[in-house]
Amino acid sequence: MKFFLDSAIVDEIRPALELWDIDGITTNPRHVQASGMPFLKVIQEIGELVKGTDKTVSVQTNPASHNNYQAIVEEGRKLAKLSPNFIIKMPCTEHGFKACKVLYEDGIRANLTLCFSPIQALQAMRMHALYVSPFIGWKEDNGEDSDQFIQDIVDIRDSQGYETEILVAAVRNGRQIGYAAAVGANIVTAGYSVYQTSFQHAYTDMGIARFQGFWDKTPYE
Ligand code: E4P
């Protein structure tokens, strides 16, 4: 399973590429705003970080176009010209699905974001989305189960033979990452601190301190 970083902050993306070998980046308007940089400038800077690799950068179109597929397509074509690594992100709406199909026919791949039901995921698959992004953190914040949700989307993909990759998004902890991997999701995307915390364990730290004690009392040669 691939690990994507959910961020538009270059000072997070650079170390995550170097230390964790993350496989891709997902951005959204919140992340771009948090970067403190203009949209086009920051996405191009992120594109430079992955230039020459197969790591993708999901770049979100203007949410105002959610009910106008021609506008999504126009913006998607413009963004796709900026970098071969860019994947165009649009919402799971009737017009978002249609834009995905039109862009696919142009050779431009899409990430269908804001997915909250198995049927939305199925329509993204039918429209040849490269990625579909079920937002599990938002569901859980709303008191809804997300484990069965992910399982259902995986079952649909496998039973129907679609190639769309399931990109589990809005991931909040290591348990969710492990679950997504166990049931066959292709990718998770999470923030920098979620990965940092997930890679740590108190027993690992305790074990290092314990072994250090023995190491220090033992001659090396
Ligand atoms: C990913 O593509 C999404 O933009 C992201 O996971 C949204 O989640 P958030 O609630 O962490 O911003």
Side-chain angles (χ1 to χ4, degrees):
M1 187 178 71
K2 289 179 266 192
F3 282 180
F4 284 6
L5 187 71
D6 207 14
S7 175
I9 296 174
V10 169
D11 288 344
E12 288 183 346
I13 298 168
R14 202 178 274 116
L17 284 164
E18 188 186 334
L19 193 57
W20 303 334
D21 193 24
I22 52 156
D23 303 292
I25 295 124
T26 48
T27 68
N28 66 27
R30 181 175 73 81
H31 297 323
V32 171
Q33 197 266 335
S35 76
M37 291 168 70
F39 171 67
L40 285 178
K41 193 165 167 21
V42 75
I43 60 163
Q44 287 181 98
E45 203 167 308
I46 296 168
E48 282 299 310
L49 295 178
V50 298
K51 196 173 174 178
T53 73
D54 60 359
K55 297 175 195 283
T56 63
V57 180
S58 291
V59 177
Q60 192 155 345
T61 50
N62 186 343
S65 308
H66 68 93
N67 58 358
N68 179 346
Y69 80 86
Q70 291 97 335
I72 300 174
V73 167
E74 191 183 326
E75 191 180 5
R77 286 176 179 149
K78 179 178 153 189
L79 294 171
K81 281 198 188 111
L82 300 177
S83 164
N85 301 79
F86 285 179
I87 303 301
I88 309 305
K89 218 172 166 190
M90 70 278 294
C92 280
T93 60
E94 289 170 276
H95 284 255
F97 297 131
K98 171 71 181 177
C100 172
K101 176 91 184 293
V102 174
L103 288 170
Y104 173 77
E105 286 161 357
D106 273 8
I108 297 170
R109 302 309 302 272
N111 176 352
L112 269 290
T113 191
L114 291 166
C115 174
F116 293 97
S117 75
I119 306 303
Q120 288 179 318
L122 174 55
Q123 182 64 345
M125 293 174 195
R126 294 183 66 249
M127 297 295 108
H128 305 282
L130 179 62
Y131 305 138
V132 63
S133 296
F135 273 38
I136 63 167
W138 291 24
K139 261 193 172 301
E140 295 205 357
D141 288 348
N142 196 44
E144 296 177 48
D145 172 62
S146 72
D147 286 356
Q148 189 58 48
F149 176 47
I150 298 304
Q151 181 71 67
D152 288 347
I153 296 173
V154 168
D155 289 348
I156 287 170
R157 179 201 59 193
D158 294 346
S159 63
Q160 301 288 326
Y162 289 112
E163 290 181 356
T164 298
E165 294 186 47
I166 299 166
L167 196 174
V168 177
V171 168
R172 306 287 187 241
N173 55 58
R175 188 206 71 81
Q176 293 171 336
I177 296 173
Y179 182 82
V183 299
N186 305 86
I187 310 161
V188 289
T189 191
Y192 192 86
S193 64
V194 173
Y195 286 119
Q196 228 175 10
T197 308
S198 303
F199 294 149
Q200 294 164 1
H201 197 286
Y203 276 12
T204 305
D205 297 340
M206 186 189 79
I208 292 167
R210 184 180 292 177
F211 290 148
Q212 189 67 58
F214 292 112
W215 181 277
D216 291 345
K217 289 181 192 134
T218 308
Y220 194 70
E221 290 181 26

